[in-house]
Amino acid sequence: MTSTSLEPSQTGRQRIAYGGAEPQFVDFHLPTGTGRPPAVAVLIHGGYWRDRFDLTLMDALVADTLRRGMAVANVEYRRMGNGGGWPGTVQDVADAMALVRKHWRKWNGAVPFVAVGHSVGGQLALLNAAAADAVVALAPVTDVSRVDDERLGEDAAVAFMGARAADLSSEYAAASPLRQLPFGCPVLVLHGDVDARVPVGHSRDFVKAARAAGAPVDYREVQGMDHLAAIDPSASHWAAAAAWMVAQGTR
């Protein structure tokens, strides 16, 4: 694994690579001030694993999370069209999480490192929950087999996995957070009840299964919220989600 640092931008961003491919990097951001942040937010974007969507989807959350005093690591990873797919995309996020811990080792154990994933970013955050102190899953993909069954995301699952669920049952299970329960860290799941890209029933069933497995999962269903509003910091759910992230440091 490589780690090449680029010069910080005028906005205070520092980009560091965790691999040799162009999309394998993390953008690090520090809040103003010199004190210890209440949390490190590791943001993982969605886009049904396709390369036309990138980490700029999380720009509004980056700005808001910084304003709340947290440090931010915005993760980019290989996607379909630029070298991604199962299982490499999941490994990319694992390598990115390791880089975040290394980059901010002085805070490791002192402040919570919270993975915040949206859509398939939620899947990637949950599959890498062992590397985080907590996970916030925003309208997450939790069952890739169900994504295939329901032909969601313009048949995104078969493109990501390489075949239908019926032909790769064990691989689909390994790619599905629902099949990896329980997780060892606190998880907050937020989902809008009018989400058409990842229907809310996916999260309802995931939370039910997680609680049955003894996993520490909080669930908040947001009335009238669609898929993209889950990453809108002006939406009604976000202030409480940010407070939940900070509260992990007091557990």
Side-chain angles (χ1 to χ4, degrees):
M1 182 175 70
T2 62
S3 180
T4 304
S5 177
L6 303 183
E7 289 299 317
S9 71
Q10 291 181 345
T11 62
R13 183 193 73 187
Q14 184 181 24
R15 178 167 292 182
I16 302 178
Y18 60 83
E22 189 279 331
Q24 294 175 309
F25 65 85
V26 179
D27 280 351
F28 292 94
H29 305 261
L30 283 173
T32 57
T34 59
R36 186 174 69 184
V40 172
V42 186
L43 306 184
I44 308 168
H45 71 85
Y48 268 125
W49 307 290
R50 293 188 171 98
D51 68 347
R52 69 176 180 267
F53 302 101
D54 63 20
L55 81 173
T56 60
L57 284 170
M58 307 300 267
D59 280 353
L61 288 189
V62 169
D64 184 85
T65 308
L66 286 170
R67 182 180 64 81
R68 296 175 188 275
M70 288 178 260
V72 178
N74 198 11
V75 172
E76 192 56 283
Y77 54 89
R78 291 174 296 168
R79 304 167 310 286
M80 292 183 299
N82 60 18
W86 172 263
T89 293
V90 178
Q91 185 60 50
D92 275 6
V93 174
D95 291 343
M97 290 290 297
L99 174 63
V100 173
R101 292 279 190 179
K102 179 179 179 181
H103 183 71
W104 279 325
R105 62 170 63 89
K106 64 183 177 181
W107 296 328
N108 193 8
V111 301
F113 284 59
V114 184
V116 182
H118 174 239
S119 192
V120 299
Q123 172 223 15
L124 298 170
L126 288 165
L127 291 177
N128 286 286
D133 298 311
V135 173
V136 174
L138 304 169
V141 166
T142 54
D143 187 348
V144 184
S145 294
R146 190 167 173 179
V147 171
D148 183 52
D149 291 342
E150 298 175 9
R151 303 296 193 261
L152 298 176
E154 298 77 43
D155 257 348
V158 66
F160 177 67
M161 298 297 298
R164 293 287 180 198
D167 300 315
L168 294 173
S169 58
S170 62
E171 289 85 352
Y172 270 76
S176 299
L178 179 66
R179 309 300 177 191
Q180 307 303 315
L181 295 168
F183 300 113
C185 70
V187 174
L188 171 64
V189 178
L190 296 109
H191 213 130
D193 66 352
V194 296
D195 192 327
R197 296 295 284 173
V198 181
V200 69
H202 290 228
S203 280
R204 290 172 181 166
D205 291 346
F206 172 77
V207 169
K208 181 179 179 180
R211 289 174 173 168
V217 176
D218 293 331
Y219 179 56
R220 299 174 190 176
E221 191 168 303
V222 185
Q223 186 175 8
M225 187 172 77
D226 65 17
H227 194 62
L228 282 179
I231 52 172
D232 180 358
S234 68
S236 62
H237 69 289
W238 181 245
W244 185 93
M245 293 163 62
V246 171
Q248 303 314 301
T250 64
R251 287 177 180 252

